[in-house]
Amino acid sequence: MKKINFKSPLGILLFVILPLVIVLAFSGIRLDLTKEKRYTLSDSTVKVLESIKKPVMVEVYLEGDFPASFRQLQNETKFMLEEFRKINSNVDFRFTDPIKNRIPEDTLMAMGMQKSILPDEKEGKITQIEVYPYAVVKYQGRGISIPLIVQQNNINAQDQLRKSIENLEYTLASNIKAVATDERKKIGVLVNQDELSPSEFESFMQIANENYQAGPVIPKNTKELSLEDLPMLKQMNALVIAKPRKAFTDGEKLILDQYIMNGGKTLWMIDAVNAEMDTLTRSKKLMPFPVDINMTDFFFNYGLRINPALVKDVKKYALLKIVTGEINGNPQFSSLPWPYFPLGIAENNHPITKNINPVKFEFPTSIDTLGGKKFKTKILFESSERTLLKQVPNYVELKEIASVDSLGQMERPSTPKIFAVALEGKFNSAYASRIERKGYPNFKSESPENKMIVIADGDLARNKIVKGQPLPLGIDRLTDEQFGNEQFLRNALDYLLDDSNLIELRNRNIEERLLDRYRITEEKAKWQWLNLLLPLAIIGLLGGLFFWLRKKKFG
């Protein structure tokens, strides 16, 4: 019998590839050969999974007969959870068909699940399929429902599916971490500077309390932050300052400076100009004026300057619904462009802003980045190239809606203006060489690795109130639009407080490798016949060759 050469193609197949395939099949080991490593869990996810000490159950409501697109999401979700279970057996999952199991729709809605209706074509007939693309993470008697589909407007179904798969690891890992973490991080909301009222800030607090423990920070002397408040501030992992209108004292600035130097994260939403839409709606015009909160030198220390001039974006703007006529006593409404409400559209793929709806700003000003600092400054949102600046004090009139791109009094064209920035790195104290440092116990001149977000709009986190009830953030009840304010602020909190760096998973990109649909349609019959006849031809050819060799040898 002839020996098989180990170095021959047949030898490599039999002695190398085949044993390797068998070992991988029985061991469960998988090799990720994709360019973007889409089937490899990140170190952050592995760290989160390894920290779970008690059972976690993920119940996925993606079971049933779905169109191909949802089967792909189903398979990707199942694969991801199988990988989670390999890292930690405390993480388990099951797939449930809510329709087959006859779970009442009211029950599903109470769990935060909204039904999706999908068209399905079979044998020329189009039917509708009900789908609940959600998962519920359960841990120690508590749970949370999470959408598996990215909620983003004005994208097609293919892009929505791709972005959902890109976001899948972050969605599952971050929510498992949130539910399975027994000790939640604390967020303090400063209440002393005439900030947003509790009713205007209620929706933000609901967001913050989903994964964290949020509450007010009220100075003990009811006048200003002082050294008496240090024990309370030390308990806060992050501090939110939303639309302060009362000036900060020098003592308060020192305390905030040292809060940051000791590792405290901060989220600033600042109005440098006082302009309220309610006033404009009532009187058809208003006189915005600068608001000085005595923080110019504070932000200058971080390489930022917030300018007291309104930004008008005549390219990226929200619509304003106003009365434009009357028929038989009935007012007629129209939705017209309002440049004082510019839209923040993600253009830099930052994990905070990626895959979210446009964010609605209301009468924002702008932020200048001065540079010359050791830490990183990342722009989150900025206006378009068609930007106008309106200096204040100056009139804003509702009739400007008729000619949004014309120059008014004290207005000038400008380059794109920054609405929001994120800072990260080691910060230096503004008081390192000042005498005030002697009045603060255990003064620090430099912070550890830290983060800060500054937004030049105090109304970004303000919810509307209808009949005494707060609306979700980003809902415009007049135009019925859903903006991305809620998701932006949720991502901002995760960015500030995410020690495991899971937020970076939102930057994962999956390259689409799509077939040419035109060629599929044009060449469908050719490839069907080729796939049918080619194997038969090969078998026939090999059979004929075998018969000829046998006849030649033995005939």
Side-chain angles (χ1 to χ4, degrees), residues 20-36:
L20 180 60
V21 170
I22 293 172
V23 169
L24 292 177
F26 281 96
S27 66
I29 298 174
R30 294 166 176 168
L31 299 179
D32 187 355
L33 302 179
T34 58
K35 180 180 178 181
E36 63 271 20

Side-chain angles (χ1 to χ4, degrees), residues 66-78:
F66 301 137
S69 59
F70 269 76
R71 283 201 301 272
Q72 182 181 358
L73 178 63
Q74 179 190 51
N75 293 335
E76 294 281 351
T77 305
K78 186 173 295 185

Side-chain angles (χ1 to χ4, degrees), residues 516-534:
D516 189 329
R517 296 186 178 274
Y518 177 77
R519 285 190 64 190
I520 291 174
T521 304
E522 291 293 313
E523 303 176 15
K524 180 180 179 180
K526 181 182 79 172
W527 289 106
Q528 283 178 334
W529 282 109
L530 182 65
N531 288 330
L532 176 65
L533 298 177
L534 183 60

Side-chain angles (χ1 to χ4, degrees), residues 20 26 97 119 121 153 161 227 262 328 372 393 458 482 522 545 548:
L20 180 60
F26 281 96
D97 185 346
E121 183 176 352
N153 299 335
L161 176 67
L227 295 179
N262 281 277
N328 295 330
Q482 172 67 66
E522 291 293 313
L545 180 62
W548 179 77

Side-chain angles (χ1 to χ4, degrees), residues 192-388:
N192 183 56
Q193 312 299 136
D194 294 337
E195 298 88 354
L196 294 175
S197 67
S199 59
E200 294 174 317
F201 210 53
E202 188 170 341
S203 292
F204 177 87
M205 296 299 288
Q206 291 174 0
I207 295 170
N209 278 306
E210 286 178 2
N211 297 331
Y212 307 101
Q213 184 179 340
V217 172
I218 304 173
K220 287 194 173 182
N221 62 16
T222 70
K223 294 180 180 180
E224 62 177 290
L225 288 174
S226 64
L227 295 179
E228 293 181 86
D229 302 307
L230 293 184
M232 178 171 53
L233 287 174
K234 287 180 180 178
Q235 298 176 23
M236 301 299 166
N237 303 102
L239 197 59
V240 176
I241 302 93
K243 198 173 181 174
R245 282 164 282 194
K246 186 179 100 178
F248 288 85
T249 66
D250 291 337
E252 288 178 309
K253 290 194 289 184
L254 173 60
I255 289 174
L256 291 172
D257 172 274
Q258 286 302 292
Y259 173 78
I260 295 170
M261 292 308 114
N262 281 277
K265 277 70 173 179
T266 46
L267 172 59
W268 301 84
M269 290 173 273
I270 304 297
D271 268 357
V273 170
N274 183 24
E276 301 294 340
M277 193 65 203
D278 292 343
T279 304
L280 183 63
T281 303
R282 287 194 305 268
S283 52
K284 308 304 179 186
K285 68 178 181 179
L286 63 88
M287 174 70 80
F289 55 87
V291 176
D292 183 10
I293 58 172
N294 191 32
M295 293 292 279
T296 302
D297 57 338
F298 185 92
F299 288 117
F300 187 84
N301 181 61
Y302 298 97
L304 304 177
R305 179 172 56 223
I306 302 177
N307 301 302
L310 291 175
V311 176
K312 297 173 62 177
D313 194 328
V314 298
K315 181 179 179 181
K316 300 187 300 187
Y317 45 69
L319 299 177
L320 188 65
K321 194 171 185 178
I322 60 173
V323 177
T324 54
E326 184 178 302
I327 298 178
N328 295 330
N330 298 315
Q332 302 300 301
F333 293 89
S334 298
S335 295
L336 300 173
W338 186 236
Y340 292 101
F341 285 4
L343 296 180
I345 299 176
E347 297 173 344
N348 54 8
N349 276 339
H350 193 281
I352 299 178
T353 60
K354 185 178 179 181
N355 292 344
I356 66 174
N357 285 332
V359 171
K360 181 183 178 183
F361 295 88
E362 298 187 6
F363 294 115
T365 58
S366 63
I367 300 172
D368 288 342
T369 55
L370 307 176
K373 302 294 181 179
K374 297 178 182 178
F375 49 81
K376 298 177 183 178
T377 302
K378 298 182 179 181
I379 297 173
L380 301 180
F381 288 119
E382 63 181 340
S383 64
S384 72
E385 70 280 1
R386 296 181 61 194
T387 297
L388 306 177

Side-chain angles (χ1 to χ4, degrees), residues 150-155 160 163 343-346 352-360 381 474 481-488 491 506:
V150 167
Q151 303 299 317
Q152 190 172 359
N153 299 335
N154 302 320
I155 59 175
Q160 190 175 34
K163 292 184 177 185
L343 296 180
I345 299 176
I352 299 178
T353 60
K354 185 178 179 181
N355 292 344
I356 66 174
N357 285 332
V359 171
K360 181 183 178 183
F381 288 119
E481 289 186 80
Q482 172 67 66
F483 297 102
N485 297 43
E486 179 178 309
Q487 188 61 55
F488 170 61
N491 293 346
R506 288 180 52 80

